Amino acid sequence: MILTDRIREKHDGALGNRLDIKVLLRLLSCSMTIEKRLRRRFIEQFDTTLPRFDVLAALERHHEGVTMGELSRSLLVSNGNVTALVRQLESDGHVSSQPAPEDRRRYIVALTPQGRAHFEELAAAHHGWIGAMFDRVPDAQMAELYDLLAILKRSLGSEGEESE
């Protein structure tokens, strides 16, 4: 059995000569498999969720903190989703939120020292999981795949629609 046989694809790859659709479905099946594994491992090993990890990762990149609006835009999710996640993380002591000095209607969200330590633990596990999932792809092919996906990304960008 070859490795791709272990992960099902929609239509089981039976789309005749539509290589564009086959590539799309293969990308989706790989992406969904990776995401499912990450979600399951975060729950099982850390009793947390992938969206909570994403919020911590975004805040880790902004040491000075960010507004809730900036955070939702960087995560590509609604303000309501971010607010719920931030409130959960705040109740766990991982983030703090304070009114912005220039506009008290806006809130600045930042990692707490406890949140930074928690994120570092999660990130180390995340890096290990990703490394293991990509371990059987030789470095040269990984670089080639990265370059090929850049070409696809440019093609998508030239179509003229906004990024989602």
Side-chain angles (χ1 to χ4, degrees), residues 41-135:
R41 290 172 185 176
F42 274 126
I43 289 288
E44 289 174 353
Q45 296 179 30
F46 296 98
D47 192 29
T48 195
T49 65
L50 184 56
R52 291 176 80 174
F53 172 77
D54 289 341
V55 169
L56 294 172
L59 292 175
E60 199 279 330
R61 290 187 294 272
H62 297 94
H63 294 277
E64 70 287 349
V66 294
T67 66
M68 295 285 272
E70 291 167 334
L71 184 58
S72 68
R73 280 189 296 281
S74 74
L75 294 171
L76 305 175
V77 297
S78 72
N79 287 341
N81 287 343
V82 166
T83 300
L85 289 166
V86 166
R87 295 298 171 243
Q88 292 168 8
L89 289 165
E90 194 171 24
S91 72
D92 291 343
H94 298 304
V95 303
S96 65
S97 65
Q98 299 182 4
E102 71 281 353
D103 182 353
R104 302 197 62 72
R105 295 170 297 172
R106 296 176 3 156
Y107 281 83
I108 304 292
V109 183
L111 285 177
T112 63
Q114 177 186 344
R116 191 167 308 285
H118 180 61
F119 172 74
E120 288 172 6
E121 181 182 20
L122 295 176
H126 181 267
H127 290 136
W129 299 331
I130 297 295
M133 285 187 252
F134 284 82
D135 192 45

Side-chain angles (χ1 to χ4, degrees), residues 19-32:
L19 187 57
D20 54 350
I21 301 297
K22 287 180 177 180
V23 169
L24 171 64
L25 295 176
R26 175 122 337 137
L27 283 169
L28 288 172
S29 68
C30 289
S31 178
M32 288 174 21

Side-chain angles (χ1 to χ4, degrees), residues 136-148:
R136 291 192 173 111
V137 181
D139 289 347
Q141 288 180 316
M142 184 73 79
E144 183 179 2
L145 178 57
Y146 183 77
D147 291 342
L148 290 170

